[in-house]
Amino acid sequence: MRLSIVLAISTVLIACSSKPKPVMKAGIWRGTIAMQGQVLPFNFSTTKDSSGKWNAYLKNGEENLLLDEISIHDDSVTMNLHIFDSKLVALIDGDSLKGFFIKNYDPNYKLPFKAAFGQDYRFAKTDNQSSSTDFSGKYAVTFIHEKDTTQAIGIFKQDHNHVTGSFLTPTGDYRFLEGSVINNVLHLSTFDGNYAYLFTAEKKDGILRGEYWSGKSRYETWTGIKNENASLPDAESLTYLKPGYDKIDFKFPDVDGKIISLSDAKYKNKVVILQLFGTWCPNCMDETKFLAPWYKINQSRGVEIIGLAYERKDDFTYASARVKKMKDKLSVDYDFVIAGTNDKAKAALTLPMLSSVVAFPTTIFIGRDGKVKKIHTGFSGPGTGVYYDEFIQQFNNTMNELLKENVN
């Protein structure tokens, strides 16, 4: 009897030990995030090098966002999402992953995540078919959230039924959107590692009427009317200095705790750019990707940049660690200080000479004489195409003029 029991146990152990361990696959995946009763699709690819290191790339339109912190333990995978304090965690089961999209800084943020290997489409397998409805063009857009409205510009490019584009708002853009026209309905999505956006719209009598979902709870409706002359409020008029001020002053700790001030010798007689910023902010990431290489080339001309970080937690250790990670990943050489939290009203209190802080990023240009010359709200990133090109031209024009100025 005992021998029979031992043999049975041995058989079970042998069977268990011989069961192959799930293996992560390298290649293209189609991921989905369940949110607000909707399914947001996105695409990513995975690679494994000769040393066994895994990488992944989030794919949105022309963007491939590198994820280089991937760990696999037994039958599960964890993907830390770029510079953001968030991750995908999932069980590996053959050609599928099943788990959650988690924001580490929010204990209540966990959305179901799935992925299927080998699927390269986004919304439908018919991405290369023609569509009788063409959504291409530039639109004057109104987003409606309860009783509030936001004006925006929608820019879409359609090839057969595949669509790319973005929305520009007074405080920033929605980055790289990608999707399809299915049964004459526009579907667009993006997932950058911190924000998950889903849009739909129908076109009737030339007017787009749509819906928008963001993450766990944000829901809006929107309308769009084609208008090649659509415009937004002047980005340099939204935040300004209060009467009686012409300079900005602060004392904030840098990432190592050293107090930094604009009166420091390093910034004297320099043109200084202040970047109101957060590591949780994808538009800020886009601006930093522009500013970091620009600074490397132009620092010798007499310019400095200080990033004022407003993070998700009022905790110096946490905020400093987030900024240090971002600086390393994006190869940023300019200075950062820990200025406060991402609450805009509280952020404004840290710089009481400003009328308000209405967006991250906000960029402040200071001349060699220490006086504020311009304040630019928001950022039009590479997902906006020609608007990004225009920003670069305007930025360089501004800096060239400021760098020419002499201190009297």
Side-chain angles (χ1 to χ4, degrees):
M1 185 65 170
R2 289 181 179 177
L3 179 60
S4 299
I5 293 173
V6 170
L7 290 174
I9 293 174
S10 299
T11 301
V12 171
L13 291 175
I14 291 171
C16 291
S17 63
S18 63
K19 184 179 179 180
K21 185 169 71 173
V23 177
M24 182 77 170
K25 293 190 174 182
I28 190 69
W29 295 78
R30 178 178 184 265
T32 60
I33 295 173
M35 58 185 212
Q36 301 185 55
Q38 307 296 314
V39 175
L40 179 147
F42 66 99
N43 303 102
F44 65 97
S45 62
T46 51
T47 63
K48 184 181 181 181
D49 65 21
S50 58
S51 69
K53 180 179 178 1
W54 283 91
N55 287 326
Y57 296 86
L58 292 177
K59 304 171 73 67
N60 295 291
E62 298 177 0
E63 181 180 55
N64 288 287
L65 194 60
L66 173 64
L67 310 180
D68 59 0
E69 295 179 79
I70 298 177
S71 59
I72 297 175
H73 182 71
D74 293 332
D75 60 351
S76 65
V77 59
T78 299
M79 302 183 191
N80 291 321
L81 295 168
H82 198 50
I83 67 170
F84 306 117
D85 192 16
S86 54
K87 61 189 176 185
L88 295 171
V89 294
L91 292 175
I92 305 168
D93 186 8
D95 288 347
S96 65
L97 303 176
K98 185 176 181 181
F100 296 95
F101 165 45
I102 296 171
K103 293 187 178 182
N104 298 320
Y105 56 82
D106 183 349
N108 298 315
Y109 203 104
K110 180 186 288 188
L111 295 175
F113 156 72
K114 294 181 180 179
F117 180 75
Q119 297 185 1
D120 61 356
Y121 65 94
R122 201 170 187 94
F123 283 91
K125 297 180 181 180
T126 57
D127 276 354
N128 291 320
Q129 293 185 3
S130 60
S131 171
S132 60
T133 304
D134 185 3
F135 288 86
S136 296
K138 179 179 178 180
Y139 295 81
V141 172
T142 301
F143 285 100
I144 304 169
H145 178 249
E146 297 174 350
K147 295 181 180 180
D148 296 327
T149 62
T150 300
Q151 301 305 309
I153 295 174
I155 47 174
F156 310 122
K157 181 179 180 180
Q158 184 171 335
D159 181 11
H160 292 86
N161 72 335
H162 180 252
V163 183
T164 56
S166 192
F167 292 97
L168 294 87
T169 77
T171 59
D173 67 271
Y174 284 78
R175 307 190 73 255
F176 295 90
L177 302 179
E178 184 176 3
S180 306
V181 179
I182 305 170
N183 297 325
N184 297 319
V185 178
L186 174 65
H187 300 262
L188 293 168
S189 68
T190 189
F191 176 61
D192 55 35
N194 198 48
Y195 288 116
Y197 297 148
L198 176 66
F199 300 87
T200 63
E202 295 184 70
K203 191 173 187 178
K204 185 176 182 181
D205 298 327
I207 299 176
L208 305 188
R209 301 186 186 279
E211 297 178 279
Y212 159 54
W213 298 266
S214 173
K216 286 183 63 177
S217 58
R218 186 79 177 186
Y219 170 77
E220 301 179 14
T221 58
W222 63 279
T223 59
I225 300 175
K226 186 172 283 191
N227 182 354
E228 291 301 318
N229 297 315
S231 62
L232 295 173
D234 181 6
E236 294 172 11
S237 66
L238 300 178
T239 294
Y240 49 88
L241 290 177
K242 293 177 181 176
Y245 290 96
D246 60 7
K247 296 183 178 182
I248 285 181
D249 187 29
F250 59 77
K251 291 183 179 179
F252 296 129
D254 68 8
V255 294
D256 295 316
K258 178 184 175 183
I259 298 300
I260 299 294
S261 170
L262 283 171
S263 61
D264 294 344
K266 180 177 182 178
Y267 310 111
K268 187 177 182 179
N269 299 331
K270 300 282 186 69
V271 174
V272 180
I273 300 171
L274 302 182
Q275 179 195 23
L276 278 62
F277 158 99
T279 62
W280 48 269
C281 164
N283 289 145
C284 301
M285 173 183 71
D286 289 340
E287 185 182 47
T288 304
K289 285 183 175 181
F290 166 75
L291 288 176
W294 185 93
Y295 177 72
K296 292 177 190 295
I297 295 171
N298 291 279
Q299 182 188 13
S300 61
R301 298 172 66 192
V303 61
E304 293 294 340
I305 302 176
I306 307 175
L308 278 62
Y310 293 86
E311 293 300 310
R312 291 291 194 183
K313 293 182 180 181
D314 186 15
D315 180 294
F316 177 83
T317 301
Y318 172 86
S320 175
R322 299 311 310 169
V323 174
K324 286 179 178 178
K325 179 176 182 177
M326 180 279 305
K327 288 191 66 175
D328 179 63
K329 283 194 174 296
L330 301 186
S331 186
V332 187
D333 292 338
Y334 58 81
D335 297 331
F336 279 87
V337 296
I338 308 305
T341 64
N342 66 299
D343 181 285
K344 293 172 186 174
K346 292 181 180 179
L349 294 177
T350 67
L351 298 170
M353 64 290 299
L354 295 182
S355 61
S356 61
V357 173
V358 299
F360 297 102
T362 292
T363 311
I364 303 173
F365 298 82
I366 299 173
R368 294 184 186 275
D369 59 1
K371 295 181 180 180
V372 173
K373 306 299 182 179
K374 181 186 293 188
I375 301 177
H376 185 97
T377 297
F379 184 74
S380 297
T384 66
V386 65
Y387 292 93
Y388 179 58
D389 297 336
E390 290 175 357
F391 161 79
I392 293 175
Q393 181 177 351
Q394 292 170 0
F395 178 92
N396 284 320
N397 289 342
T398 296
M399 293 305 299
N400 288 338
E401 289 299 316
L402 292 179
L403 288 165
K404 288 179 184 177
E405 293 181 355
N406 294 317
V407 180
N408 295 325

PDB file of all heavy atoms in Angstrom, residues 2 10 43 78 88 124 133-134 155 170 196 223 244 252 310 325 333 341 379-380:
ATOM      1  N   ARG A   2       1.900   1.265   0.881  1.00  0.00           N
ATOM      2  CA  ARG A   2       2.785   2.409   0.964  1.00  0.00           C
ATOM      3  C   ARG A   2       3.541   2.586  -0.346  1.00  0.00           C
ATOM      4  O   ARG A   2       3.769   3.698  -0.817  1.00  0.00           O
ATOM      5  CB  ARG A   2       3.763   2.245   2.114  1.00  0.00           C
ATOM      6  CG  ARG A   2       3.113   2.370   3.485  1.00  0.00           C
ATOM      7  CD  ARG A   2       4.143   2.214   4.571  1.00  0.00           C
ATOM      8  NE  ARG A   2       3.556   2.354   5.890  1.00  0.00           N
ATOM      9  CZ  ARG A   2       4.230   2.200   7.020  1.00  0.00           C
ATOM     10  NH1 ARG A   2       5.535   1.889   6.969  1.00  0.00           N
ATOM     11  NH2 ARG A   2       3.629   2.350   8.179  1.00  0.00           N
ATOM     12  N   SER A  10       5.265   9.904  -6.904  1.00  0.00           N
ATOM     13  CA  SER A  10       6.402  10.055  -7.812  1.00  0.00           C
ATOM     14  C   SER A  10       5.936  10.359  -9.228  1.00  0.00           C
ATOM     15  O   SER A  10       6.517  11.193  -9.935  1.00  0.00           O
ATOM     16  CB  SER A  10       7.256   8.786  -7.812  1.00  0.00           C
ATOM     17  OG  SER A  10       7.766   8.538  -6.527  1.00  0.00           O
ATOM     18  N   ASN A  43      -0.436  48.209 -29.959  1.00  0.00           N
ATOM     19  CA  ASN A  43       0.508  47.233 -30.480  1.00  0.00           C
ATOM     20  C   ASN A  43       1.873  47.415 -29.831  1.00  0.00           C
ATOM     21  O   ASN A  43       2.262  48.525 -29.481  1.00  0.00           O
ATOM     22  CB  ASN A  43       0.651  47.369 -31.998  1.00  0.00           C
ATOM     23  CG  ASN A  43      -0.679  47.228 -32.711  1.00  0.00           C
ATOM     24  OD1 ASN A  43      -1.268  48.220 -33.115  1.00  0.00           O
ATOM     25  ND2 ASN A  43      -1.160  46.008 -32.847  1.00  0.00           N
ATOM     26  N   THR A  78       6.965  41.169 -16.203  1.00  0.00           N
ATOM     27  CA  THR A  78       6.721  42.541 -15.764  1.00  0.00           C
ATOM     28  C   THR A  78       7.436  43.479 -16.710  1.00  0.00           C
ATOM     29  O   THR A  78       8.646  43.324 -16.949  1.00  0.00           O
ATOM     30  CB  THR A  78       7.228  42.772 -14.328  1.00  0.00           C
ATOM     31  OG1 THR A  78       6.538  41.910 -13.430  1.00  0.00           O
ATOM     32  CG2 THR A  78       7.005  44.219 -13.907  1.00  0.00           C
ATOM     33  N   LEU A  88       3.138  46.950 -16.856  1.00  0.00           N
ATOM     34  CA  LEU A  88       2.270  45.858 -17.275  1.00  0.00           C
ATOM     35  C   LEU A  88       2.781  44.596 -16.594  1.00  0.00           C
ATOM     36  O   LEU A  88       3.973  44.284 -16.664  1.00  0.00           O
ATOM     37  CB  LEU A  88       2.301  45.676 -18.794  1.00  0.00           C
ATOM     38  CG  LEU A  88       1.759  46.818 -19.654  1.00  0.00           C
ATOM     39  CD1 LEU A  88       2.060  46.560 -21.129  1.00  0.00           C
ATOM     40  CD2 LEU A  88       0.256  46.998 -19.443  1.00  0.00           C
ATOM     41  N   ALA A 124      -8.953  46.200 -36.297  1.00  0.00           N
ATOM     42  CA  ALA A 124      -9.558  45.162 -37.137  1.00  0.00           C
ATOM     43  C   ALA A 124      -8.522  44.622 -38.109  1.00  0.00           C
ATOM     44  O   ALA A 124      -7.542  45.310 -38.441  1.00  0.00           O
ATOM     45  CB  ALA A 124     -10.759  45.713 -37.895  1.00  0.00           C
ATOM     46  N   THR A 133     -15.988  56.328 -46.261  1.00  0.00           N
ATOM     47  CA  THR A 133     -15.951  57.571 -45.496  1.00  0.00           C
ATOM     48  C   THR A 133     -14.502  57.985 -45.271  1.00  0.00           C
ATOM     49  O   THR A 133     -13.699  57.203 -44.773  1.00  0.00           O
ATOM     50  CB  THR A 133     -16.647  57.416 -44.134  1.00  0.00           C
ATOM     51  OG1 THR A 133     -17.991  56.969 -44.338  1.00  0.00           O
ATOM     52  CG2 THR A 133     -16.679  58.747 -43.396  1.00  0.00           C
ATOM     53  N   ASP A 134     -14.196  59.225 -45.652  1.00  0.00           N
ATOM     54  CA  ASP A 134     -12.839  59.740 -45.521  1.00  0.00           C
ATOM     55  C   ASP A 134     -12.804  60.774 -44.395  1.00  0.00           C
ATOM     56  O   ASP A 134     -13.486  61.790 -44.445  1.00  0.00           O
ATOM     57  CB  ASP A 134     -12.392  60.382 -46.832  1.00  0.00           C
ATOM     58  CG  ASP A 134     -10.932  60.823 -46.801  1.00  0.00           C
ATOM     59  OD1 ASP A 134     -10.260  60.566 -45.784  1.00  0.00           O
ATOM     60  OD2 ASP A 134     -10.479  61.411 -47.791  1.00  0.00           O
ATOM     61  N   ILE A 155      -6.312  66.657 -36.398  1.00  0.00           N
ATOM     62  CA  ILE A 155      -5.619  66.469 -37.669  1.00  0.00           C
ATOM     63  C   ILE A 155      -5.514  64.972 -37.950  1.00  0.00           C
ATOM     64  O   ILE A 155      -4.954  64.216 -37.168  1.00  0.00           O
ATOM     65  CB  ILE A 155      -4.221  67.123 -37.657  1.00  0.00           C
ATOM     66  CG1 ILE A 155      -3.446  66.774 -36.373  1.00  0.00           C
ATOM     67  CG2 ILE A 155      -4.329  68.636 -37.798  1.00  0.00           C
ATOM     68  CD1 ILE A 155      -2.010  67.269 -36.373  1.00  0.00           C
ATOM     69  N   PRO A 170      -5.259  73.691 -26.132  1.00  0.00           N
ATOM     70  CA  PRO A 170      -4.482  74.827 -25.617  1.00  0.00           C
ATOM     71  C   PRO A 170      -3.394  74.435 -24.625  1.00  0.00           C
ATOM     72  O   PRO A 170      -2.473  75.225 -24.375  1.00  0.00           O
ATOM     73  CB  PRO A 170      -5.549  75.699 -24.942  1.00  0.00           C
ATOM     74  CG  PRO A 170      -6.817  75.364 -25.651  1.00  0.00           C
ATOM     75  CD  PRO A 170      -6.709  73.896 -25.944  1.00  0.00           C
ATOM     76  N   ALA A 196      -3.896  56.129 -21.431  1.00  0.00           N
ATOM     77  CA  ALA A 196      -4.576  55.280 -22.398  1.00  0.00           C
ATOM     78  C   ALA A 196      -5.789  56.043 -22.920  1.00  0.00           C
ATOM     79  O   ALA A 196      -6.708  56.345 -22.156  1.00  0.00           O
ATOM     80  CB  ALA A 196      -5.014  53.962 -21.741  1.00  0.00           C
ATOM     81  N   THR A 223     -17.201  66.993 -30.980  1.00  0.00           N
ATOM     82  CA  THR A 223     -17.660  67.270 -32.332  1.00  0.00           C
ATOM     83  C   THR A 223     -16.516  67.897 -33.113  1.00  0.00           C
ATOM     84  O   THR A 223     -15.624  68.544 -32.530  1.00  0.00           O
ATOM     85  CB  THR A 223     -18.863  68.228 -32.356  1.00  0.00           C
ATOM     86  OG1 THR A 223     -18.486  69.467 -31.724  1.00  0.00           O
ATOM     87  CG2 THR A 223     -20.048  67.625 -31.607  1.00  0.00           C
ATOM     88  N   GLY A 244       3.578  94.122 -11.606  1.00  0.00           N
ATOM     89  CA  GLY A 244       4.616  94.443 -10.641  1.00  0.00           C
ATOM     90  C   GLY A 244       5.810  93.516 -10.688  1.00  0.00           C
ATOM     91  O   GLY A 244       6.816  93.762 -10.018  1.00  0.00           O
ATOM     92  N   PHE A 252      14.725  75.982  -4.725  1.00  0.00           N
ATOM     93  CA  PHE A 252      14.266  74.594  -4.688  1.00  0.00           C
ATOM     94  C   PHE A 252      15.468  73.657  -4.600  1.00  0.00           C
ATOM     95  O   PHE A 252      16.546  73.970  -5.129  1.00  0.00           O
ATOM     96  CB  PHE A 252      13.464  74.246  -5.946  1.00  0.00           C
ATOM     97  CG  PHE A 252      12.188  75.013  -6.123  1.00  0.00           C
ATOM     98  CD1 PHE A 252      11.915  75.668  -7.323  1.00  0.00           C
ATOM     99  CD2 PHE A 252      11.244  75.062  -5.116  1.00  0.00           C
ATOM    100  CE1 PHE A 252      10.734  76.358  -7.503  1.00  0.00           C
ATOM    101  CE2 PHE A 252      10.052  75.759  -5.287  1.00  0.00           C
ATOM    102  CZ  PHE A 252       9.799  76.404  -6.485  1.00  0.00           C
ATOM    103  N   TYR A 310       7.339  68.711 -10.938  1.00  0.00           N
ATOM    104  CA  TYR A 310       6.133  68.648 -10.110  1.00  0.00           C
ATOM    105  C   TYR A 310       5.614  67.212 -10.206  1.00  0.00           C
ATOM    106  O   TYR A 310       5.024  66.827 -11.211  1.00  0.00           O
ATOM    107  CB  TYR A 310       5.097  69.664 -10.591  1.00  0.00           C
ATOM    108  CG  TYR A 310       5.530  71.095 -10.380  1.00  0.00           C
ATOM    109  CD1 TYR A 310       6.312  71.752 -11.318  1.00  0.00           C
ATOM    110  CD2 TYR A 310       5.174  71.779  -9.216  1.00  0.00           C
ATOM    111  CE1 TYR A 310       6.736  73.060 -11.116  1.00  0.00           C
ATOM    112  CE2 TYR A 310       5.585  73.095  -9.007  1.00  0.00           C
ATOM    113  CZ  TYR A 310       6.365  73.728  -9.955  1.00  0.00           C
ATOM    114  OH  TYR A 310       6.782  75.029  -9.751  1.00  0.00           O
ATOM    115  N   LYS A 325      15.766  58.863 -12.756  1.00  0.00           N
ATOM    116  CA  LYS A 325      15.533  57.811 -13.749  1.00  0.00           C
ATOM    117  C   LYS A 325      15.268  58.421 -15.114  1.00  0.00           C
ATOM    118  O   LYS A 325      15.801  57.962 -16.135  1.00  0.00           O
ATOM    119  CB  LYS A 325      14.351  56.938 -13.321  1.00  0.00           C
ATOM    120  CG  LYS A 325      14.021  55.835 -14.320  1.00  0.00           C
ATOM    121  CD  LYS A 325      12.912  54.931 -13.813  1.00  0.00           C
ATOM    122  CE  LYS A 325      12.644  53.822 -14.823  1.00  0.00           C
ATOM    123  NZ  LYS A 325      11.608  52.867 -14.347  1.00  0.00           N
ATOM    124  N   ASP A 333      21.304  66.410 -19.659  1.00  0.00           N
ATOM    125  CA  ASP A 333      22.436  66.984 -18.935  1.00  0.00           C
ATOM    126  C   ASP A 333      22.078  68.237 -18.147  1.00  0.00           C
ATOM    127  O   ASP A 333      22.861  68.677 -17.306  1.00  0.00           O
ATOM    128  CB  ASP A 333      23.563  67.342 -19.916  1.00  0.00           C
ATOM    129  CG  ASP A 333      24.208  66.117 -20.540  1.00  0.00           C
ATOM    130  OD1 ASP A 333      24.093  65.030 -19.946  1.00  0.00           O
ATOM    131  OD2 ASP A 333      24.801  66.241 -21.626  1.00  0.00           O
ATOM    132  N   THR A 341       4.173  69.308  -6.296  1.00  0.00           N
ATOM    133  CA  THR A 341       3.339  68.228  -6.833  1.00  0.00           C
ATOM    134  C   THR A 341       2.611  68.696  -8.083  1.00  0.00           C
ATOM    135  O   THR A 341       2.608  69.881  -8.417  1.00  0.00           O
ATOM    136  CB  THR A 341       2.297  67.768  -5.792  1.00  0.00           C
ATOM    137  OG1 THR A 341       1.393  68.850  -5.519  1.00  0.00           O
ATOM    138  CG2 THR A 341       2.973  67.327  -4.506  1.00  0.00           C
ATOM    139  N   PHE A 379       2.792  72.029 -25.165  1.00  0.00           N
ATOM    140  CA  PHE A 379       3.828  71.612 -26.104  1.00  0.00           C
ATOM    141  C   PHE A 379       3.181  70.832 -27.237  1.00  0.00           C
ATOM    142  O   PHE A 379       2.397  69.905 -26.988  1.00  0.00           O
ATOM    143  CB  PHE A 379       4.877  70.749 -25.404  1.00  0.00           C
ATOM    144  CG  PHE A 379       6.031  70.351 -26.284  1.00  0.00           C
ATOM    145  CD1 PHE A 379       7.002  71.271 -26.622  1.00  0.00           C
ATOM    146  CD2 PHE A 379       6.127  69.064 -26.772  1.00  0.00           C
ATOM    147  CE1 PHE A 379       8.064  70.916 -27.435  1.00  0.00           C
ATOM    148  CE2 PHE A 379       7.184  68.690 -27.573  1.00  0.00           C
ATOM    149  CZ  PHE A 379       8.160  69.612 -27.911  1.00  0.00           C
ATOM    150  N   SER A 380       3.500  71.205 -28.465  1.00  0.00           N
ATOM    151  CA  SER A 380       3.033  70.464 -29.645  1.00  0.00           C
ATOM    152  C   SER A 380       4.157  69.545 -30.083  1.00  0.00           C
ATOM    153  O   SER A 380       5.147  70.000 -30.677  1.00  0.00           O
ATOM    154  CB  SER A 380       2.643  71.429 -30.771  1.00  0.00           C
ATOM    155  OG  SER A 380       1.564  72.242 -30.369  1.00  0.00           O
TER     156      SER A 380
END
